[in-house]
Amino acid sequence: MALSRRALLAQAAASAGAVAGPPPSPAAGAAGEPEPTTTTTLRGTIPPGAPDFVYVPVDVPSGVRELRVSYRYDKPPTPPGTPGNALDIGLFDQRGTALGGRGFRGWSGGARSEFFLRTDGATPGYLPGPLERGRWHIALGPYTVAPQGLPYEITVTFAYGEPAPPAPAAYPPERIPGRGRAWYRGDCHVHSVHSDGRRTPAEITALARAAGLDFVNTSEHNTHSSHTAWAGAADSGLLVLTGEEITTRTGHVLAVGTDPGTFVDWRYRARDGRFGRFARAVRQAGGLVVPAHPHATCIGCAWKFGLADADAVEVWNGPWTPDDEVSLASWDATLCAADGGRWLPALAHSDYHRDPDRIGGPQTVVLADDLSRRAILAGLRAGRAYAAESSAVSVDFTAVTPRGAHAGIGETLEAAGPDTEVLVRLSVTGAEGGELRLVTDQGTVLTVPAATSLEWRTTPARTAYVRAEVRHPPQAPPLPGAPAALTNPIWLRS
């Protein structure tokens, strides 16, 4: 008989045995003097069908100056088509593991096999701070479990001594000098060494500026540890929004532009009915809720929570793939259903991790009053934005009436009547040779190959909205070519 999730959790935790390490041994202290250490080894096996998270208790004694953790797990061969073992790791302190993250001290997923914490520093992904006496928990996330089970071994080392003074926390500024009301280019989905990326925040800052970006959003998987690591980015002219990529087992979602220091928990599935609580938490912290790569095919990546709690949606993630085409079509269907009511803007991001990923490829170009957190988020929330494959591509997309009523991307054109003629204009630079398309609630209504501009006439009676696409020539007809740019809609009303 299959065990319940609660029973599996108890079984996995019970199998973790503590093995006393050797007596205190010398190790290099902060001043180069020996400091005593003790080591504890925790072993267990996670069975197939285990809960999403297993919490292994570890008792932290008094007087600990540094906590070090390393782990390993077996990876036995599996039959073709059957996932093997993959085990993520994180840490909660004596305040507990309750949902909401009060005791959260860090998460590295499967990106590293060891980490440390002190009052004055920690491995990227983890939070420095006091190492207080009490029962802590190592959080194990069995991403996939082989049929043979997942045996693991965790080594915990306590280094004793006087703790160092806490490191001061500094966050990036929320506003830097810009160009006034203008189009600003940004990438709201990037990863550094604070999760599974390979570059430091300083290196990403340099890459972002070289790519012509004005802002980025920190989006580490399930941790906010990097928020204090970007304070110097403003010196280069880059605005840094602080956020997180909340990586649940039934979809990933970006928290964009939350208050610095905001942590958003990820330990739930769509069937648990808890996402609304955390979406509200993101908005209460000033941020936007943006489902990421909603139709991605990796395990746990596709978005299963619906869009009722979203503020925008990522329809273009990294190099264009078929799942992006599905995301675009699905998003367009939501526009048809909106009929001028609440609608979700489309955004584009690189999901940068490492080379050959390209920061700003693609990027979101947003009309904002200045280069500030408040103004950028307001522009994104309103949909005054378009997607571009690089900073070389620029789009001008407007609709006007004979009497001078005017609307741009993300705006509503108020015409005098339902049969008022509306002139739609599109011009593009940086994508010569591309195919221009206009898409409405009825589908693709105009295609102009090898063009950089077009004009089209309609009326509010015939067209609820119109949006533009700039496509490269198709590589595998009848599939369309990858986009050079995509816009949010212009709505037509009378």
Side-chain angles (χ1 to χ4, degrees), residues 34-421:
E35 61 183 11
T37 65
T38 57
T39 296
T40 296
T41 301
L42 307 164
R43 298 186 180 94
T45 298
I46 299 173
D52 290 338
F53 301 99
V54 173
Y55 300 97
V56 180
V58 57
D59 291 323
V60 175
S62 300
V64 172
R65 177 184 172 276
E66 181 176 277
L67 171 65
R68 307 168 196 151
V69 176
S70 63
Y71 83 119
R72 58 170 299 278
Y73 58 93
D74 292 350
K75 299 179 181 179
T78 59
T82 302
N85 285 334
L87 184 63
D88 296 341
I89 194 168
L91 185 68
F92 288 77
D93 65 21
Q94 81 288 345
R95 292 171 293 180
T97 62
L99 197 64
R102 187 166 176 263
F104 176 77
R105 291 301 294 268
W107 183 255
S108 49
R112 50 178 52 89
S113 60
E114 58 185 356
F115 58 86
F116 77 88
L117 280 78
R118 296 192 306 265
T119 56
D120 63 333
T123 298
Y126 292 81
L127 308 179
L131 302 177
E132 296 186 8
R133 178 180 180 274
R135 174 151 291 184
W136 291 43
H137 289 86
I138 295 167
L140 298 179
Y143 185 64
T144 53
V145 178
Q148 302 95 315
L150 197 163
Y152 64 84
E153 179 180 285
I154 305 168
T155 302
V156 182
T157 299
F158 304 117
Y160 300 90
E162 189 68 24
Y171 296 113
E174 296 192 9
R175 179 177 183 174
I176 65 173
R179 303 182 298 276
R181 185 172 176 81
W183 292 94
Y184 293 98
R185 297 176 178 270
D187 191 341
C188 294
H189 192 168
V190 299
H191 296 277
S192 77
V193 293
H194 283 261
S195 57
D196 56 348
R198 291 295 181 267
R199 293 197 180 262
T200 65
E203 291 172 325
I204 292 175
T205 296
L207 290 172
R209 294 302 286 151
L213 299 186
D214 301 295
F215 66 93
V216 297
N217 177 73
T218 70
S219 51
E220 311 297 356
H221 294 286
N222 306 332
T223 182
H224 59 298
S225 68
S226 74
H227 289 191
T228 60
W230 292 84
D235 295 339
S236 70
L238 186 71
L239 175 71
V240 176
L241 310 176
T242 54
E244 182 183 334
E245 183 174 6
I246 303 144
T247 308
T248 81
R249 293 302 177 86
T250 48
H252 300 185
V253 59
L254 303 173
V256 177
T258 49
D259 295 333
T262 297
F263 168 71
V264 185
D265 213 320
W266 75 100
R267 294 171 294 157
Y268 43 85
R269 290 180 179 236
R271 66 190 180 203
D272 298 329
R274 291 169 171 163
F275 176 65
R277 163 187 169 186
F278 294 100
R280 288 191 296 274
V282 170
R283 282 191 283 273
Q284 288 167 359
L288 303 181
V289 178
V290 184
H293 43 69
H295 292 275
T297 57
C298 49
I299 295 176
C301 296
W303 186 245
K304 305 292 187 180
F305 293 87
L307 298 175
D309 291 302
D311 298 306
V313 61
E314 183 186 78
V315 303
W316 186 354
N317 175 277
W320 190 260
T321 57
D323 57 86
D324 293 311
E325 198 72 61
V326 175
S327 295
L328 179 63
S330 298
W331 168 72
D332 184 80
T334 70
L335 298 181
C336 295
D339 192 27
R342 180 180 180 271
W343 63 281
L344 296 180
L347 306 182
H349 309 124
S350 71
D351 200 357
Y352 177 85
H353 285 78
R354 62 189 68 82
D355 297 340
D357 298 349
R358 184 168 55 86
I359 292 279
Q363 59 194 245
T364 296
V365 191
V366 57
L367 181 61
D369 289 335
D370 57 32
L371 189 51
S372 68
R373 171 193 173 196
R374 181 186 297 271
I376 294 296
L377 293 182
L380 295 176
R381 187 181 292 109
R384 297 193 303 267
Y386 66 89
E389 64 181 357
S390 74
S391 59
V393 179
S394 295
V395 173
D396 185 22
F397 185 47
T398 60
V400 297
T401 69
R403 293 187 177 182
H406 175 279
I409 298 170
E411 297 176 338
T412 298
L413 179 69
E414 297 290 350
D419 297 320
T420 299
E421 183 178 84

